[in-house]
Amino acid sequence: MREDELATRVVEHFREAFDDVDIHLEEPYDHYGNRGVADVYVRVRTPEPVDYLIELKADAAIRHATGANEILRQYRRMERYFYKDDEHDIRPKLARDGPGVHVLLLFAPTTRCVEHVHEHHALYESVDPDAVVEDVPASRKVAFLTNLDDADRGELGFLSVNGEVPFGSAAFSDAVPDDSRLAAALEAAST
């Protein structure tokens, strides 16, 4: 599975799930030489703006990375510098209910990605889900994508590995959709 497939499903999901949505692919940022690209940058209005900064990881990215530290460094750089770029802004809102920014590191539901996350689960689980970005409450999620085939109906799912349910636990296994790509990848990785 390639990252462009994942990006397509993410775009389909947000277009279907929200009425007022701006989607940008490969959105660059640059703050005093701290350059990078968000794979997908989405702003929805519910009615206040809520942003989704998304870093996608599929098999090729896992294969070419020097390890989980490199992936996490890239993810955290996006969180740290994206809004410091003059092209992007997010502001605190008194009436905001919930996070104004969701910083997502999303893995493809493939055997290679499952094996990678399993090998480095302690690092990924250590990512604190609660954050503040430019004085705006934020949420960090490291997760596997689920329900890829239902993305065009707005039903893309995210199964977190840095939340309250540890990766590989019985509760995590129970949350995996039956007959899904993720279920098949988990099964293949365990053999």
Side-chain angles (χ1 to χ4, degrees), residues 40-109:
V40 184
Y41 165 52
V42 178
R43 177 166 281 177
V44 299
R45 288 165 188 81
T46 62
E48 70 273 351
V50 176
D51 286 1
Y52 295 82
L53 288 177
I54 303 170
E55 180 67 33
L56 299 169
K57 294 297 175 199
D59 291 359
I62 299 301
R63 193 170 39 253
H64 292 104
T66 59
N69 281 341
E70 178 185 344
I71 291 170
L72 286 169
R73 193 170 30 255
Q74 182 181 21
Y75 170 68
R76 295 303 299 268
R77 185 181 311 122
M78 177 182 69
E79 173 189 342
R80 189 172 293 119
Y81 298 114
F82 188 84
Y83 291 104
K84 293 187 183 305
D85 183 314
D86 292 337
E87 297 295 317
H88 308 102
D89 69 328
I90 188 88
R91 289 180 228 121
K93 300 275 186 189
L94 293 177
R96 188 180 303 280
D97 184 27
V101 177
H102 297 271
V103 186
L104 308 174
L105 172 56
L106 302 176
F107 289 94

Side-chain angles (χ1 to χ4, degrees), residues 3-148:
E3 286 183 15
D4 59 345
E5 283 182 78
L6 299 177
T8 298
R9 301 300 170 86
V10 167
V11 168
E12 290 172 342
H13 167 76
F14 279 99
R15 282 186 178 159
E16 184 61 30
F18 297 96
D19 292 327
D20 192 358
V21 60
D22 293 323
I23 301 170
H24 305 272
L25 298 173
E26 299 296 321
E27 181 70 8
Y29 60 88
D30 184 4
H31 176 70
Y32 295 110
N34 293 297
R35 296 182 183 141
V37 175
D39 289 332
V40 184
Y41 165 52
V42 178
R43 177 166 281 177
V44 299
R45 288 165 188 81
T46 62
E48 70 273 351
V50 176
D51 286 1
Y52 295 82
L53 288 177
I54 303 170
E55 180 67 33
L56 299 169
K57 294 297 175 199
D59 291 359
I62 299 301
R63 193 170 39 253
H64 292 104
T66 59
N69 281 341
E70 178 185 344
I71 291 170
L72 286 169
R73 193 170 30 255
Q74 182 181 21
Y75 170 68
R76 295 303 299 268
R77 185 181 311 122
M78 177 182 69
E79 173 189 342
R80 189 172 293 119
Y81 298 114
F82 188 84
Y83 291 104
K84 293 187 183 305
D85 183 314
D86 292 337
E87 297 295 317
H88 308 102
D89 69 328
I90 188 88
R91 289 180 228 121
K93 300 275 186 189
L94 293 177
R96 188 180 303 280
D97 184 27
V101 177
H102 297 271
V103 186
L104 308 174
L105 172 56
L106 302 176
F107 289 94
T110 65
T111 304
R112 182 180 296 271
C113 287
V114 166
E115 290 170 345
H116 170 81
V117 171
H118 174 71
E119 182 179 347
H120 305 288
H121 68 91
L123 294 175
Y124 291 120
E125 288 171 355
S126 73
V127 174
D128 188 351
D130 299 317
V132 175
V133 175
E134 298 298 306
D135 297 325
V136 174
S139 162
R140 291 188 199 106
K141 185 176 286 194
V142 179
F144 286 101
L145 284 162
T146 63
N147 301 334
L148 288 172

